[in-house]
Each structure stands twice: as C-alpha cells, then as structure tokens.
Amino acid sequence: DGGITQSPKYLFRKEGQNVTLSCEQNLNHDAMYWYRQDPGQGLRLIYYSQIVNDFQKGDIAEGYSVSREKKESFPLTVTSAQKNPTAFYLCASSPRQGSSYNSPLHFGNGTRLTVT
Amino acid sequence: GENVEQHPSTLSVQEGDSAVIKCTYSDSASNYFPWYKQELGKGPQLIIDIRSNVGEKKDQRIAVTLNKTAKHFSLHITETQPEDSAVYFCAATSNAGGTSYGKLTFGQGTILTVHP
C-alpha cells in the first residue's frame, strides 16, 4: 500500500528540548510539505520541498528546521526557539507541481506534539 | 499572498438534508480549489477539486461550484449521512510560479455534524 507514514502518533517533550518528527512516503512523489494544525485556524504551511536537497520556508517557518536528503523522507525538527510548539503536525506529499497544473496533496495521519 | 475565508465554522444537519460550505479567496491568480475531509485523529483526505476553467463539478453526492468573478467557491453535500460528519477544509492555490508555486492556502475548517 502506498502512502505517507508519520511517526510517532503522539510525542511528549519538555520545554527547551528539540524534537524531530518523522515523515516517510513511498508514493514516489517529488514534493513534500509540513503543515501545522491548531483548533480553529486551519492548516498553516511550515516548510515545503519540491525536490531533494532543496526546501523553502512556508508561512510559519520560525522555530522549525527541515532536511530533504532522500526523496522519500522529510523530517521536521521543532526547536526550542518555537514559542508555541504544542500542535498537531501534518506531513503531505504530491507529484511535482507543473507549470500548467496543480496536483492534490496526500496527507499522513499526523503527529500530536505536546510540550510542557 | 492568498487568503481563504471559510464559513460556517460549524454546521449541524439532519440525516438526509443538504449541507453547503462556502469559501472566498483573495488572489485572482488562484486556479485550483480542492476540498478535504478530515476525520478525528487522521490527516485530511481529498474529496473533490475544481480548476478555474470549469464552474461546477459533481461526484455522486458531492458537488463543488466556482464563481471566479466573485472569487468564491462552495461545497454541496446532498442526502447527508452520519458518516459525513467530519471537519471539511477548502483550499486555494496558484500555479503561477515563484514562492507560491504549488502552495495551498487553507480555510479555517467547518465542523459538520449529521444527526441520525
């Protein structure tokens, strides 16, 4: 079965610690994305990557970092600089967007991060 | 950048009734409008999408309409069933290139409850 795997489903950390969220896809998609979801605010884009070894900041990148060393993997690190890290984090992928078309995103089932 | 407003934030209907969710967008260059359904504890799943070269698209009980002039689009669910209960998100994007290339901007979400 092709899909996106996010792990772990629940993650607890102490304030001041960095934490890395895993995202793996076997859909052979070029593009991958990280979104943050908070109640009543929809999904906000943190980082995205159109191709291996390249990524761009989204709308709320401060306090986060990513890497894209492999096509199938796009881990997100929530650093201690992120002021409000407690949230539901969603990873997504899509075929590479073209100049004349957009492809839908395929989402994983998310990681709920709680920082105390 | 793009801004997407979604209404209502909550919607309660009786089984068999119709449900309508509306979204407006700000960027006239946006040309792709997907709708996602999110069940509790899961990632969003695409249920229908529409591109700016058509005004309406239907898939069984689900339909989406687009008014480019007014910059709004709507999701229509007919003959609702309890399993339609979920959070629904609209989104918009442009394939115009640059930093907005392939990026989706989401609405705030609508919690739909279908009562048996």
Side-chain angles (χ1 to χ4, degrees), chain A residues 9 33 35 37 40-43 45 48 50 58-59 88 90 97-105 107-109, chain B residues 31-32 36 38 41-46 49 51 89 93-95 98-104 106-109:
Chain A
K9 192 169 178 65
Y33 311 78
Y35 283 86
Q37 185 173 19
Q41 294 197 46
L43 282 70
L45 183 65
Y48 64 109
Q50 299 276 9
D59 301 317
F88 189 52
L90 286 159
Q97 307 295 335
S99 59
S100 60
Y101 65 90
N102 276 288
S103 299
L105 301 187
F107 284 89
N109 282 328
Chain B
N31 56 8
Y32 176 64
Y36 287 85
Q38 185 178 26
K42 295 187 176 180
Q45 282 196 307
L46 179 76
D49 57 8
R51 302 181 192 276
F89 291 97
T93 192
S94 164
N95 61 7
T99 57
S100 65
Y101 198 51
K103 280 173 52 180
L104 280 176
F106 284 83
Q108 296 85 351

Side-chain angles (χ1 to χ4, degrees), chain B residues 12-92:
Chain B
S12 185
V13 300
Q14 288 296 128
E15 183 176 359
D17 288 350
S18 294
V20 181
I21 302 170
K22 299 181 179 180
C23 290
T24 60
Y25 61 99
S26 61
D27 187 353
S28 56
S30 286
N31 56 8
Y32 176 64
F33 308 92
W35 284 88
Y36 287 85
K37 175 184 180 182
Q38 185 178 26
E39 297 177 341
L40 195 63
K42 295 187 176 180
Q45 282 196 307
L46 179 76
I47 55 172
I48 196 167
D49 57 8
I50 191 168
R51 302 181 192 276
S52 60
N53 57 347
V54 298
E56 184 173 358
K57 184 177 178 181
K58 191 172 180 181
D59 182 4
Q60 299 182 0
R61 296 186 296 110
I62 294 173
V64 56
T65 58
L66 171 65
N67 183 326
K68 287 190 296 182
T69 304
K71 287 190 281 187
H72 68 71
F73 56 113
S74 299
L75 177 72
H76 304 254
I77 306 174
T78 58
E79 301 171 27
T80 54
Q81 301 166 4
E83 49 266 39
D84 294 329
S85 297
V87 181
Y88 291 82
F89 291 97
C90 63

